Amino acid sequence: MPAFGQEPAAPALPYTQAVKEATDHLYPRVAGAIPEAEWKLHAPYIAAINELKKKRGAVILAHNYMTPEIFRCVGDFAGDSLQLAKEAAKTDAKVIVQAGVHFMAETSKILCPDKTVLIPDLRAGCSLAASITAADVRLLKQKYPGVPVVTYVNTSAAVKAESDICCTSSNAVEVVEHICAERGSDAVIFLPDQYLARNVAAMTDIRVITWAGACEVHERFTAEDIREIREAHPGVVVLAHPECPPDVLAEADFAGSTSGMSDYVKENQPKNVVLITECSMSDNVALENPDVTFVRPCNLCPHMKRITLQGILRSLETMTHEVTVDPEVAARARRAIERMIALPLKRRSMYRHQHAPEVSAIEARV
Ligand code: 13P
Ligand code: SF4
């Protein structure tokens, strides 16, 4: 679990001629989102990070929720949780800087035990990962013996180590069906997101037992929000993340992982679109789709927003904060993650509800 503490403020770096020369070619990537005056504040850090990255033999894995100056100007690989885990597994860089939250950095470390994995701010947690412990999972396994355990990657290494297989929002339905077919089980323990669990349950006949966890960003959206957006913006296409409550998904035109939403916009080029998810997603997707108009009600993830250019530079300069995972825990967690990565999935999970989004139990710590 991340330790909590204040990051020291770094002195601002100046915008010099050398910085200008090193970064001018990058500005067009973000010009649609960042005014020139603001760019001059970011550019010195971008230049310094890109220089130091080479010296350290580092790659930066950037989640779709990173702000555009990180996502498009220093990130070497960008994507959703599954894509970032796959990139971590195959990179030959010596150092990985995770521009994302702590569970993502742990996943990278588990997959690359010999590499140095850094997270720029240890406070970048996740309400889902914080909702459940390995001891909770052990109690659930006692209560439901023989029922396979699927854990969302938004969990600690210790929780992953107790599970049979991991999933992300882009493969959750397929992972549940796969593990239940393999085990001959008509039930699954799906942890810890009760909303993702309900959205998966609506896509399968498998009995789903879940946990009372929720994403603090997505659980705040309501079906009423969507109806109001549709009324204010007739014809708007609504895309939602499956961590949203099921009644929100019922009002949406499409639901999928962060990259699922991004690809939907790329492929369908809707005239007007709204992404029911974290705020930076719309900025990043809008930059790649200049002909699409974005309606932008969004909720900020306070954890993702801990990651800044200043923090990434400090991380590379001081080689902190190094993420470590107990080797025995990592070995068990790796099995669950690698099983997920090895699944030959032909498409991303879709959440077009086929029946009521009912789970058979929502467990909680007693
Ligand atoms: P994705 O796997 O869709 O990128 O989601 C990760 C996440 O934390 C969403 O809140
Ligand atoms: Fe966790 Fe939600 Fe933030 Fe994603 S958006 S990192 S699930 S709190």
Side-chain angles (χ1 to χ4, degrees):
M1 284 300 297
F4 288 80
Q6 287 299 318
E7 293 293 329
L13 295 181
Y15 182 76
T16 61
Q17 183 59 27
V19 167
K20 180 175 162 38
E21 281 162 21
T23 58
D24 263 0
H25 68 291
L26 295 173
Y27 184 53
R29 295 185 189 182
V30 293
I34 301 177
E36 241 179 287
E38 188 186 327
W39 172 252
K40 289 182 179 168
L41 301 175
H42 294 313
Y45 293 93
I46 292 170
I49 289 168
N50 287 337
E51 178 77 21
L52 195 50
K53 216 165 53 172
K54 281 188 229 140
K55 280 197 195 130
R56 298 278 197 224
V59 290
I60 297 179
L61 303 186
H63 186 260
N64 288 326
Y65 292 162
M66 289 295 106
T67 47
E69 68 279 7
I70 295 175
F71 190 76
R72 295 178 68 85
C73 297
V74 300
D76 296 288
F77 300 101
D80 66 11
S81 308
L82 182 61
Q83 291 168 319
L84 295 185
K86 286 182 173 171
E87 286 304 336
K90 61 179 196 230
T91 183
D92 48 20
K94 290 187 298 198
V95 177
I96 294 173
V97 180
Q98 200 83 33
V101 292
H102 193 264
F103 75 79
M104 295 176 179
E106 265 194 346
T107 302
S108 294
K109 182 65 186 177
I110 291 163
L111 291 171
C112 313
D114 300 331
K115 296 187 192 306
T116 302
V117 176
L118 305 175
I119 184 143
D121 193 320
L122 280 167
R123 295 169 298 172
C126 169
S127 63
L128 281 168
S131 72
I132 191 162
T133 65
D136 295 326
V137 187
R138 286 193 289 272
L139 284 174
L140 285 171
K141 289 199 286 193
Q142 273 172 28
K143 185 166 175 182
Y144 300 100
V147 178
V149 178
V150 174
T151 55
Y152 198 27
V153 286
N154 299 40
T155 47
S156 67
V159 165
K160 290 183 177 80
E162 295 296 334
S163 68
D164 293 293
I165 188 166
C166 287
C167 75
T168 74
S169 60
S170 76
N171 59 18
V173 179
E174 284 70 18
V175 166
V176 164
E177 290 194 330
H178 169 86
I179 193 78
C180 288
E182 192 181 277
R183 298 289 173 85
S185 177
D186 64 356
V188 69
I189 299 173
F190 185 96
L191 307 170
D193 186 343
Q194 60 180 294
Y195 297 122
L196 183 60
R198 288 183 199 177
N199 290 322
V200 169
M203 296 292 298
T204 169
D205 294 328
I206 292 161
R207 232 165 19 93
V208 178
I209 298 147
T210 188
W211 187 252
C215 162
E216 67 188 85
V217 176
H218 291 96
E219 74 170 341
R220 300 213 305 269
F221 292 108
T222 66
E224 186 54 29
D225 292 340
I226 311 298
R227 288 192 287 272
E228 281 173 15
I229 292 166
R230 286 200 191 277
E231 215 176 296
H233 305 275
V236 69
V237 173
V238 180
L239 314 184
H241 194 277
E243 287 169 10
C244 293
D247 57 339
V248 172
L249 263 61
E251 298 281 341
D253 297 297
F254 170 87
S257 75
T258 52
S259 289
M261 287 188 272
S262 174
D263 288 352
Y264 182 101
V265 176
K266 236 176 273 168
E267 285 156 21
N268 295 283
Q269 292 289 299
K271 200 161 169 292
N272 286 316
V273 73
V274 58
L275 307 185
I276 303 301
T277 190
E278 212 274 343
C279 303
S280 292
M281 263 293 289
S282 294
D283 295 335
N284 292 326
V285 181
L287 285 166
E288 284 164 14
N289 298 278
D291 298 330
V292 178
T293 302
F294 286 74
V295 178
R296 295 174 189 242
C298 63
N299 290 326
L300 269 177
C301 173
H303 309 289
M304 290 281 182
K305 296 288 108 75
R306 296 274 185 202
I307 309 301
T308 60
L309 286 175
Q310 288 82 346
I312 294 172
L313 179 59
R314 190 182 325 109
S315 184
L316 279 165
E317 280 169 349
T318 59
M319 296 298 280
T320 56
H321 303 278
E322 187 168 351
V323 175
T324 56
V325 182
D326 173 83
E328 186 273 329
V329 171
R332 290 189 291 130
R334 190 175 309 122
R335 252 194 345 247
I337 301 168
E338 284 181 346
R339 254 191 189 164
M340 165 187 79
I341 291 178
L343 281 189
L345 297 177
K346 292 193 184 67
R347 61 178 177 83
R348 289 202 178 98
S349 288
M350 304 272 278
Y351 298 85
R352 220 176 276 283
H353 290 182
Q354 288 165 5
H355 46 71
E358 276 162 20
V359 292
S360 50
I362 302 179
E363 298 286 350
R365 196 166 303 142
V366 281

